[in-house]
Amino acid sequence: MLPNMNKMLKQAKDMQDKMSKIKEELGNMEIEGKSGGGMVKAVVNGNKDMISIEIKDEVLTEEKDFIEDLIVSAVNQALQNASEESEKKMSSVTGGMLGNMKIPGLS
C-alpha cells in the first residue's frame, strides 16, 4: 500500500507544481475587454488584476453616467474573459477532475 501512497503524493505534488506554473503564466497574460465599439478598453491579467484602462478622447465629451457604464462594461468583459482563460488553463492541468470547484487563490 505504501508504494501507491507515494505515487499519489508524487502526482499531487506534480499537479501542484503545474498549477503554480499556470498561475504565474496567468499573471503575465494581458486580457482585454472592450465596450462602446472599442471606445473603452480594459486590460486585466489572468489573475484578474487590472493592468490598464484606455478611453478614447471622443468618449470624454459624453455624459458622465454613459462613460461610467462603458468603463464598467469593459472591465466586466475583461474579467469574464480572464475567468474563462483561467478555467481553460486549469482544466488542462486537472483534466476537468475538479469540475466547478473553486481553488483558493485561483478562482
Side-chain angles (χ1 to χ4, degrees):
M1 184 164 154
L2 192 56
N4 286 338
M5 180 63 87
N6 287 336
K7 184 178 177 184
M8 283 177 36
L9 290 173
K10 182 180 179 343
Q11 288 173 335
K13 172 76 169 111
D14 289 347
M15 185 180 288
Q16 183 179 24
D17 291 344
K18 288 178 185 176
M19 290 173 75
S20 292
K21 184 178 182 218
I22 286 178
K23 184 165 172 63
E24 183 179 330
E25 288 175 15
L26 288 168
N28 293 326
M29 295 177 76
E30 292 191 2
I31 302 164
E32 290 184 2
K34 294 181 181 179
S35 66
M39 294 191 321
V40 175
K41 179 174 83 171
V43 180
V44 299
N45 66 22
N47 294 326
K48 301 179 188 170
D49 297 321
M50 178 71 87
I51 296 172
S52 67
I53 191 143
E54 180 182 308
I55 302 171
K56 301 276 185 193
D57 289 340
E58 57 268 22
V59 175
L60 299 176
T61 62
E62 299 291 336
E63 293 291 319
K64 180 180 180 280
D65 290 348
F66 179 71
I67 296 170
E68 290 170 346
D69 288 345
L70 288 175
I71 292 169
V72 168
S73 179
V75 170
N76 283 338
Q77 183 185 46
L79 292 173
Q80 179 63 38
N81 292 345
S83 290
E84 290 170 5
E85 191 62 35
S86 177
E87 287 173 24
K88 202 177 351 174
K89 286 200 170 284
M90 283 298 143
S91 182
S92 73
V93 170
T94 64
M97 283 187 327
L98 301 176
N100 289 331
M101 192 169 86
K102 299 295 181 198
I103 301 169
L106 298 177
S107 307

